[in-house]
Amino acid sequence: MRTPTFLLALVLSACGSDDDGGGKAGTGDSAGTGGSAGGSGGVAGSAGSAGSGGSGATGGSAASGGSVGSGGSVGSGGGTGGTGGNPNCTPSTLYGKTGELWTAAGRLREYAWAGYRTGNVALPSPTTPSKSVTDFGAKPDDAGDDTQAFLDAIAGTASGVLTIPAGKFIITQRLEIKKPNFVLRGAGEGKTVLHFPKPLGDIYGLTFNSAGQSNWSFSGAFIQVGGGDSGAKLADVTAAAKLGDTTLKVSTTTGITAGMWVRLLMTDAAGSLFKALHGGHFPGNVAEDGGKQVFRFYSKVKSVGAGTVELERALPLEVSTGWAPELRAVKPSVSEVGIEQLTMDFPGTTYPGHFKEHGYNAIQMTGVLDSWVQHVTILNADYGVNIGGAHFSTITDVTLDTTFNRGALVGHHGFTVGSSGEVLFTRFDVKKTFVHDLSVDGYTRGTVWSNGKGVDLCMDHHGRAPYGTLWTNLDMGAGTRPFKSGGSSNRMPHSAAYSTYWNIKAAKAMALPANDYGPLLNFVAYQTSATSVTSTYDWKLEKIDPAALCQPNLHEAMLVDLR
């Protein structure tokens, strides 16, 4: 086991095939609004991303077909990572029994940093200061509109916990949170029910663009948390660095000290950064995104030398001076925000169809740091949880369901993350089928999907270079559409480099994705009848019985072995 990394407390005041346009929840790099930043700051990224490691199947017996969700594994609090303690377990050649085969420049990213405060601390449960929405006039279980009371309560709670007692409350406007250190807490799922009788389109207007797409298809929500990171520029990076390196040469070290958090930002130049995100195999979306700043990586500074900065974390991508690399300070306007212990209920309506959504959208978090959603049930939604421009945040124990027959497809996106880093989705349950159940999009990096299940899940890689995603210990349900994915044609391929599918099971053997789905993909104990890969883009397939795999959950194993 490696020496644990200690955290620095920062003391600061959108899976069906489609042509999705439009950005998701934003980038989160602009200065945030609504109060000074606060909270603590586990901030980090993922490591390494090179390696070739040929195609073809290696090792172990064919994957068997058990269901992850049975026996309390998925959705329970118990760990399933494993550390290779069983001497008879079958290790992956990419990782080994205890991480001894892992390298920062290999095919697996370092997923141990995903989640709230870099993933190795529990979600907080603050109790003070505390106010209740009833203090501001909200009344449960009556026919009155509670919106103004909720708005007043949010405005009147500078920080701490805003509680919502048991009962049903009627909300007819957006609830916006633009400040740090704020928890919206109900009395429990099914106990506290926020009912939204009208969609956003009825309240704020419903329009359709020239492609026939609703203005609520991609973003906007009834609970909307928004911020940004306005940390100032500290230095230019003046020399190239390799994937897996930790030391950067910089123009100045003034204002940079050991122990502080910094952001490495890089901007595309004529598609060369996009090509690097695809391991050199694909050009990326130059026409739409060329020249944009699309790479963001957070790390703590380990040490400062003469014209150099040593980072605590290994670089997840090479650095080129042609990409205008720079270091910036970390100064989030919104951090330590939690939404928890409640049910969000929309009326029983038939889903109007893909891109025709009227805006029954539940939760959106944009530009936040060290924040979370936990123990929330969302009913009859067009859009469940949308994360954009966020870092080190956790979405856990969220259930998506319906109480009404909305049709074969019940909504647009279940869970989505875009333009983010190290976001953890875990212990989720998608009980009905969305167009896209679980989505990575828009240059998001290092996302982890762990210990989740659904009726017939799809892992939607929505294009625009989602990089280094980990899918681990998932019960895909029926298993008929694991790689059913969307995104417009100019944003392909679906996945950037190093997406990893680790212990993925279903009721039947699942197909591998199309050969041009993305480069440098890893399939370890992925339940499939395929015995080899035919893609020319350097895929790796390890046929290992999930019951024998040393690490049922790679994310949890890395937390033990690499942190």
Side-chain angles (χ1 to χ4, degrees), residues 39-54:
S40 63
V43 185
S46 40
S49 84
S52 52

Side-chain angles (χ1 to χ4, degrees), residues 98-419:
T98 58
E100 72 276 6
L101 301 181
W102 180 86
T103 65
R107 294 182 65 105
L108 297 176
R109 305 285 54 78
E110 189 175 10
Y111 296 109
W113 297 84
Y116 171 79
R117 289 207 201 179
T118 78
N120 63 353
V121 298
L123 294 180
S125 186
T127 57
T128 58
S130 176
K131 294 182 181 181
S132 172
V133 294
T134 58
D135 298 337
F136 297 84
K139 296 180 180 180
D141 300 323
D142 66 356
D145 188 330
D146 298 290
T147 303
Q148 193 59 52
F150 272 70
L151 295 174
D152 292 344
I154 292 170
T157 305
S159 64
V161 182
L162 179 60
T163 63
I164 314 170
K168 182 177 180 178
F169 298 85
I170 298 174
I171 307 296
T172 58
Q173 292 182 44
R174 273 192 296 246
L175 304 179
E176 296 187 79
I177 300 168
K178 298 181 179 180
K179 52 191 168 187
N181 303 312
F182 183 91
V183 178
L184 186 66
R185 179 183 296 156
E189 296 170 84
K191 296 179 180 178
T192 294
V193 178
L194 305 186
H195 179 66
F196 304 87
K198 296 188 292 186
L200 292 163
D202 284 4
I203 303 166
Y204 301 103
L206 178 65
T207 61
F208 295 88
N209 63 20
S210 60
Q213 300 167 336
S214 160
N215 58 320
W216 303 107
S217 291
F218 307 108
S219 63
F222 274 99
I223 297 180
Q224 198 156 301
V225 184
D229 197 324
S230 61
K233 182 176 177 178
L234 298 169
D236 291 315
V237 178
T238 59
K242 297 177 182 178
L243 173 90
D245 284 353
T246 56
T247 300
L248 297 173
K249 292 184 179 180
V250 295
S251 58
T252 179
T253 58
T254 301
I256 303 175
T257 59
M260 73 182 292
W261 282 94
V262 294
R263 299 176 289 152
L264 171 64
L265 307 181
M266 295 193 292
T267 301
D268 174 65
S272 56
L273 176 53
F274 302 147
K275 192 169 183 177
L277 288 167
H278 291 95
H281 291 282
F282 292 90
N285 187 11
V286 181
E288 184 178 4
D289 294 333
K292 292 183 180 179
Q293 187 182 85
V294 298
F295 180 87
R296 306 164 190 89
F297 174 71
Y298 285 62
S299 179
K300 191 176 180 181
V301 174
K302 185 174 182 180
S303 65
V304 179
T308 63
V309 172
E310 182 184 8
L311 302 177
E312 183 181 70
R313 305 179 57 211
L315 293 172
L317 187 73
E318 68 217 58
V319 172
S320 168
T321 56
W323 301 333
E326 62 183 36
L327 291 182
R328 286 184 171 267
V330 174
K331 189 179 180 182
S333 63
V334 176
S335 61
E336 300 289 335
V337 172
I339 309 297
E340 58 187 41
Q341 302 290 348
L342 52 83
T343 291
M344 298 181 69
D345 174 49
F346 298 100
T349 59
T350 301
Y351 177 53
H354 198 197
F355 299 139
K356 308 302 180 185
E357 295 82 10
H358 289 195
Y360 289 117
N361 300 349
I363 298 173
Q364 178 172 301
M365 285 185 160
T366 306
V368 303
L369 183 74
D370 292 328
S371 295
W372 68 93
V373 179
Q374 66 167 330
H375 296 290
V376 172
T377 294
I378 300 172
L379 302 174
N380 308 316
D382 292 337
Y383 215 129
V385 180
N386 186 5
I387 306 298
H391 296 269
F392 308 109
S393 294
T394 294
I395 315 302
T396 183
D397 296 283
V398 176
T399 299
L400 305 181
D401 204 352
T402 64
T403 59
F404 180 86
N405 182 8
R406 300 202 84 201
L409 296 173
V410 302
H412 191 188
H413 285 272
F415 298 95
T416 298
V417 58
S419 302

Side-chain angles (χ1 to χ4, degrees), residues 39-111:
S40 63
V43 185
S46 40
S49 84
S52 52
S55 307
T58 61
S61 58
S64 60
S67 174
V68 173
S70 61
S73 171
V74 170
S76 65
T80 60
T83 58
N86 175 6
N88 298 316
C89 70
T90 303
S92 166
T93 61
L94 299 175
Y95 191 74
K97 289 192 173 183
T98 58
E100 72 276 6
L101 301 181
W102 180 86
T103 65
R107 294 182 65 105
L108 297 176
R109 305 285 54 78
E110 189 175 10
Y111 296 109

Side-chain angles (χ1 to χ4, degrees), residues 16-31:
S17 180
D18 63 24
D19 266 342
D20 279 8
K24 298 297 177 187
T27 65
D29 276 332
S30 59

Side-chain angles (χ1 to χ4, degrees), residues 1-4 99 102-103 110 560-563:
M1 182 183 300
R2 299 185 181 184
T3 303
W102 180 86
T103 65
E110 189 175 10
V560 174
D561 299 332
L562 305 184
R563 294 292 299 272

